[in-house]
Amino acid sequence: MGEIFQKQGAEISSLKTAPSKKDLKNANIYIIVDADIDKEAYGGKANLIDPTSIKNLTDWVKKGGVLVLMSNDNGNSEFEYFNKLAGEFGIHFNDDSYNRVQKREFEQGKVMVPAGNEIFSEQKLYMKEVATISVKNPAKELLSAEGKNIGAIAKFGKGTVFALGDPWCYNEYIDGKKLPADFTNYQGTEEWVKWLLKQTSKK
């Protein structure tokens, strides 16, 4: 995913501490992926998002920042604190799991994107074991799987928030080696990255 951003001319870096105002001032896009639970965290204790970080991020988005929130499904992601941040933008990750895939039955993980989607062209994406998302103003629904909403976009002040119930662009889903050829996760990731970068110029 990082290489796709770089291919579009973006510079990327990782932030290993809570996002300060100074850190965010240097960023156009800030991505939080799969908020850890204790059993997955280094040292066995997850860093939960705190009120200061929520305020810093909310203020930054309002001024034109682009925030990406990617959760995971039930048992693989922290929901309570992550939702305190998401809720500022009318987004709520549900502590559930859809598009469950048995072994190599990849079809069970399909997400069909219809024509007219705001970000993606009409295509077939793979998203496995996804948390659903509830939305209220200013957020709106974006993608569905098994008849449930799994993605959202919110315009907030001068900024934008993108949310999805799965970290869907793992290397193994976009390198063309694992998934059947009719899944277009690489193409979808490219379209998504271009869309995110376009939002940064709308300040």
Side-chain angles (χ1 to χ4, degrees):
M1 186 179 90
E3 287 172 5
I4 292 173
F5 270 101
Q6 290 172 318
K7 199 171 140 190
Q8 297 302 324
E11 289 179 32
I12 60 172
S13 63
S14 296
L15 186 62
K16 298 188 185 299
T17 54
S20 68
K21 287 181 181 178
K22 187 182 173 188
D23 294 324
L24 291 168
K25 207 171 180 181
N26 297 322
N28 291 308
I29 300 172
Y30 184 78
I31 303 173
I32 305 176
V33 181
D34 190 6
D36 270 353
I37 48 180
D38 287 348
K39 72 172 186 180
E40 297 178 333
Y42 180 75
K45 190 72 180 158
N47 290 311
L48 303 172
I49 195 153
D50 60 277
T52 302
S53 298
I54 290 172
K55 184 168 187 336
N56 289 346
L57 284 163
T58 306
D59 290 347
W60 172 78
V61 172
K62 204 178 279 181
K63 290 174 187 166
V66 178
L67 177 63
V68 175
L69 304 174
M70 289 196 279
S71 181
N72 212 323
D73 68 329
N74 171 269
N76 293 304
S77 195
E78 195 283 318
F79 286 91
E80 183 185 350
Y81 289 84
F82 199 39
N83 271 325
K84 288 179 180 177
L85 171 61
E88 294 288 323
F89 313 105
I91 294 165
H92 182 87
F93 293 97
N94 301 311
D95 193 350
D96 56 17
S97 184
Y98 285 85
N99 263 29
R100 298 185 70 79
V101 176
Q102 309 303 313
K103 297 184 178 174
R104 295 181 69 82
E105 297 293 323
F106 297 116
E107 280 297 306
Q108 295 172 338
K110 73 179 177 186
V111 172
M112 302 304 295
V113 183
N117 186 278
E118 189 167 334
I119 297 176
F120 304 102
S121 59
E122 188 176 356
Q123 62 190 288
K124 179 180 175 182
L125 299 173
Y126 183 77
M127 297 178 185
K128 172 190 171 189
E129 291 157 15
V130 186
T132 62
I133 294 177
S134 304
V135 301
K136 61 183 181 183
N137 195 46
K140 58 184 180 179
E141 297 181 349
L142 178 74
L143 283 173
S144 65
E146 291 190 48
K148 308 276 187 182
N149 181 58
I150 60 166
I153 304 172
K155 294 292 182 186
F156 187 82
K158 294 179 180 175
T160 305
V161 180
F162 171 93
L164 192 68
D166 186 52
W168 66 289
C169 30
Y170 298 98
N171 290 353
E172 62 183 312
Y173 296 168
I174 60 176
D175 66 7
K177 294 174 186 172
K178 182 172 185 173
L179 295 176
D182 61 335
F183 285 102
T184 54
N185 279 39
Y186 187 90
Q187 175 193 326
T189 304
E190 272 197 323
E191 291 173 357
W192 173 67
V193 165
K194 286 176 184 175
W195 180 85
L196 288 172
L197 291 169
K198 199 172 166 187
Q199 305 318 300
T200 67
S201 61
K202 292 184 177 178
K203 291 183 185 181

